[in-house]
Amino acid sequence: MKVRRHTKIKEIIEDNVIETQEELAVALRKQEIEVTQATVSRDIKELMLIKVPAGDGRYRYAFPVEQNAAFLQPRMERIFQDSVVDIDYSENIIVIKTLPGTAQAVAAAIDNTKWPDIIGTVAGDDNILVVVKPTDAVPKVIAKLQTLSQ
């Protein structure tokens, strides 16, 4: 349900000017997706939506155009601190345990950093597999991840 809802949110944000969480909730309900304000708020945070000028002094939700380190660092820290429960590894695979329902947001934040030692992530509901290459880079990656979650 969450993946479907996030997909619909992306479509709605790209095709419409959405200024408030309530407008987004109404648009989702029109798509036959029942949501609460709290769910919409959480989705906005997980999708890392931002407000951009829409003209006439108004602002609308949008996806970040430029993903630079200065922009992502505070958001990543907040996502990690709010969500990550444990970090462990075996060989070149790091396993990040998160609170239920937050793994995809954490994985998306990791993917957006484009760290050269991380090939990619696979996220479930509360677990993320992070594939690291080369294997000897694992301690360095774990140290970065642990710093974000503290």
Side-chain angles (χ1 to χ4, degrees):
M1 183 64 168
K2 183 178 186 177
V3 172
R4 179 174 174 253
R5 192 174 63 246
H6 281 192
T7 301
K8 287 294 181 187
I9 290 171
K10 288 177 187 176
E11 291 172 10
I12 291 167
I13 295 299
E14 289 171 356
D15 297 339
N16 303 282
V17 174
I18 302 294
E19 296 182 51
T20 66
Q21 291 181 8
E22 184 57 34
E23 287 179 14
L24 182 54
V26 168
L28 285 166
R29 289 183 192 115
K30 286 180 182 176
Q31 298 282 329
E32 298 180 1
I33 298 176
E34 285 302 314
V35 292
T36 64
Q37 186 277 329
T39 300
V40 170
S41 178
R42 210 171 18 254
D43 288 341
I44 287 168
K45 187 176 189 179
E46 290 173 5
L47 291 169
M48 294 190 249
L49 297 179
I50 60 171
K51 289 259 187 146
V52 297
D56 299 328
R58 298 175 13 218
Y59 288 84
R60 65 178 290 225
Y61 283 107
F63 290 94
V65 176
E66 190 175 323
Q67 300 277 344
N68 61 41
F71 177 75
L72 282 177
Q73 189 70 23
R75 287 180 185 222
M76 276 193 70
E77 288 174 358
R78 191 169 47 247
I79 290 169
F80 269 68
Q81 291 165 2
D82 290 347
S83 306
V84 174
V85 176
D86 189 36
I87 301 172
D88 204 351
Y89 74 98
S90 177
E91 301 278 332
N92 70 320
I93 297 186
I94 298 172
V95 177
I96 301 174
K97 295 190 181 295
T98 69
L99 295 174
T102 62
Q104 292 179 7
V106 173
I110 293 169
D111 289 339
N112 282 326
T113 63
K114 296 179 176 48
W115 287 341
D117 299 323
I118 295 177
I119 296 173
T121 62
V122 178
D125 184 58
D126 61 358
N127 279 286
I128 304 163
L129 297 179
V130 180
V131 182
V132 179
K133 183 178 180 182
T135 304
D136 61 358
V138 169
K140 178 175 70 171
V141 173
I142 287 177
K144 283 183 182 179
L145 295 172
Q146 287 174 332
T147 298
L148 290 169
S149 62
Q150 296 176 352

